[in-house]
Amino acid sequence: MTTPLAQHGRGPFRPGDLVQLTDPKGRMHTITLEAGRTFHTHRGALDHDELIGSDEGVVVVSTGATPYLALRPLLQDFVLSMPRGATVVYPKDAARIVGLADLFPGARVVEAGAGSGALTCSLLRAVGDEGSVTSYERRPEFAAVARRNVARWFGGDPASWELREDDLQAAQPPAADAVILDMLAPWECLDAAAAALVPGGVLVVYVATTTQLSRTAEAVRSDGRWTECRAEESLVRTWHLEGLAVRPDHRMIGHTGFLLTTRRLAPGTVLPARRTRPAKGAYPDADPVAGTS
């Protein structure tokens, strides 16, 4: 796999590196260094050659006398500024997905859908050179955006990545240690996910609404090939730091989506009956699930 440009070490800037330029007001611009080129804004121009060979973390000044802090972007910075087809998976959710899926160097991952490629970058970084990520995206325009974004971050198409313009529901995915579903109707892909996952493999589903979450959970329970699922969401609140004025910021990254996690049972295994009692009204149109007490 091509080494991520943002992880070529912390040495001097080189041609081809992604560089994040931040002005005094916190506005960021991401450029790709190329000898002889010039970065232009309404605050003046900045020659790329002035950055090439400089250490990361330097301050350079444009012809309009505006100082810019130059750093290689973190993946979260790149994701939030990347061109979008579909809505990106936010860094807070991508990090949680990597953890919930228990990804490791060499892991095999199946992802559907690829969207704008934000989550794909995190998956590829987690599995490393020895692993593999197979992404499914049925909309060609989204697949094109994802391909460009992933190639820009990694400096080319990673050898460990395969992007298929196909519907996972009708596909025959490769064997996987983890399956990640980010789509409108993930319950339609449970058969494909079960076929791909090895026993004990992890299924992580990302959905935006409570109705999607509920329907997915009930589909997993009735399917019979999965452990009892769990659901969560993550909220991130930053803090204002100014002398003694230390307080929560007025804005926060609130709800973005729900994450549902379950694991593949061994073939032929019957999960022991649930011992918890559903709340009254949980199943208004039918009797509570069998096996409760």
Side-chain angles (χ1 to χ4, degrees):
M1 180 174 71
T2 306
T3 303
L5 291 176
Q7 289 193 353
H8 275 172
R10 295 305 177 192
F13 290 124
R14 294 170 294 274
D17 280 356
L18 290 178
V19 176
Q20 181 178 277
L21 300 173
T22 306
D23 70 15
K25 291 188 176 181
R27 290 174 295 207
M28 298 179 182
H29 305 271
T30 302
I31 64 174
T32 302
L33 289 182
E34 185 177 333
R37 294 202 63 180
T38 301
F39 167 67
H40 293 276
T41 73
H42 67 287
R43 296 184 177 273
L46 185 66
D47 290 336
H48 289 209
D49 291 339
E50 188 175 346
L51 285 166
I52 294 173
S54 298
D55 286 329
E56 186 176 1
V58 299
V59 173
V60 290
V61 181
S62 72
T63 56
T66 298
Y68 289 91
L69 173 63
L71 292 164
R72 291 183 176 91
L74 302 176
L75 179 54
Q76 65 178 7
D77 300 324
F78 177 75
V79 163
L80 294 177
S81 64
M82 65 167 47
R84 303 182 183 188
T87 302
V88 300
V89 173
Y90 266 69
K92 71 180 182 70
D93 294 317
R96 192 69 185 122
I97 289 170
V98 168
L100 289 172
D102 197 36
L103 299 187
F104 53 88
R108 302 161 297 173
V109 182
V110 169
E111 172 199 22
S116 296
L119 177 59
T120 307
C121 290
S122 291
L123 299 178
L124 285 166
R125 172 184 273 181
V127 304
D129 295 346
E130 302 83 9
S132 67
V133 175
T134 304
S135 302
Y136 288 83
E137 177 53 63
R138 62 184 181 184
R139 297 185 60 172
E141 66 274 23
F142 288 174
V145 173
R147 196 182 302 278
R148 288 194 297 269
N149 285 332
V150 171
R152 190 180 183 207
W153 176 251
F154 287 99
D157 290 335
S160 58
W161 183 45
E162 182 181 1
L163 176 59
R164 301 181 181 179
E165 294 183 21
D166 199 358
D167 190 337
L168 178 63
Q169 185 179 0
Q172 293 183 332
D177 302 294
V179 172
I180 317 296
L181 301 180
D182 175 13
M183 56 184 61
L184 290 175
W187 50 86
E188 295 178 351
C189 292
L190 290 181
D191 283 340
L197 280 172
V198 298
V202 183
L203 171 66
V204 181
V205 181
Y206 179 88
V207 291
T209 69
T210 54
T211 51
Q212 289 173 300
L213 181 64
S214 175
R215 183 164 180 180
T216 303
E218 294 310 314
V220 166
R221 288 185 178 125
S222 63
D223 184 89
R225 291 174 288 185
W226 309 94
T227 62
E228 179 60 24
C229 49
R230 63 183 298 271
E232 65 177 59
E233 65 173 333
S234 60
L235 310 176
V236 174
R237 183 175 70 177
T238 57
W239 280 64
H240 174 84
L241 300 172
E242 191 70 41
L244 296 178
V246 179
R247 54 169 173 74
D249 282 329
H250 295 305
R251 295 184 179 183
M252 66 178 291
I253 303 175
H255 174 75
T256 49
F258 299 103
L259 295 175
L260 180 144
T261 310
T262 184
R263 299 181 68 179
R264 179 71 162 94
L265 295 172
T269 298
V270 177
L271 194 67
R274 296 171 63 202
R275 303 298 297 175
T276 57
R277 183 185 298 276
K280 284 188 176 181
Y283 297 89
D285 299 325
D287 292 333
V289 292
T292 58
S293 61

